[in-house]
Amino acid sequence: MAIKFKAQPRKNPQDITLPEKYYAAAIADGEVDLDILAEQIAYECTVTESDCYAVLLSLERNIISSLNQGRIVKLGRLGNFQVSVSSEGRDTPEEVNASLITKARILFRPGKRLRGLLDDLSFRKAS
């Protein structure tokens, strides 16, 4: 299998007056949701599909709850989730407060096996 990609035009963010250049952009080839994951997991072990689905939903709820409390969620070999923020800058630490936060996002740091997947990918241009 190969990851499909297409040529996508982009402006230079440092100088938007320059002409666009084309860059490779990955194209998703379908999706897998919790229902499908639960079915696949149930097929590979002795747990029922509904039990797998319940565990996956519980995992989602617990990840959200833990991130909401400022915790790093470590999922072993899968990887880690953590909340990160961006803010406006100030000259002194005393001037920094919550009102300066402009954006929050969830970071995912993949585990070793997921990172290793990237080393073995092959690519083909979509027609």
Side-chain angles (χ1 to χ4, degrees):
M1 294 297 292
I3 304 294
K4 293 181 204 170
F5 70 93
K6 64 180 178 182
Q8 185 168 350
R10 291 193 194 142
K11 290 265 187 201
N12 182 335
Q14 276 86 27
D15 187 352
I16 59 171
T17 63
L18 293 174
E20 291 179 332
K21 289 190 177 183
Y22 288 85
Y23 298 87
I27 301 172
D29 190 15
E31 57 185 38
V32 177
D33 61 14
L34 284 181
D35 291 329
I36 293 170
L37 284 174
E39 181 181 336
Q40 290 172 338
I41 293 167
Y43 181 76
E44 295 173 357
C45 64
T46 60
V47 181
T48 67
E49 183 178 336
S50 57
D51 288 340
C52 291
Y53 189 74
V55 169
L56 291 170
L57 287 178
S58 181
L59 176 65
E60 177 191 32
R61 280 192 301 272
N62 282 279
I63 289 172
I64 291 168
S65 174
S66 295
L67 290 174
N68 196 38
Q69 296 173 47
R71 296 180 178 151
I72 296 172
V73 178
K74 295 185 172 192
L75 296 178
R77 294 179 357 186
L78 187 59
N80 303 329
F81 289 95
Q82 181 176 1
V83 172
S84 173
V85 297
S86 299
S87 73
E88 297 174 16
R90 291 296 184 258
D91 293 329
T92 66
E94 294 77 25
E95 294 177 89
V96 177
N97 60 52
S99 68
L100 299 175
I101 295 174
T102 57
K103 185 177 186 179
R105 62 179 126 337
I106 297 170
L107 301 180
F108 176 70
R109 292 185 184 91
K112 186 186 288 186
R113 288 182 67 189
L114 276 177
R115 283 191 317 268
L117 161 95
L118 299 174
D119 297 333
D120 299 326
L121 291 178
S122 61
F123 302 94
R124 71 177 168 89
K125 193 169 184 177
S127 49

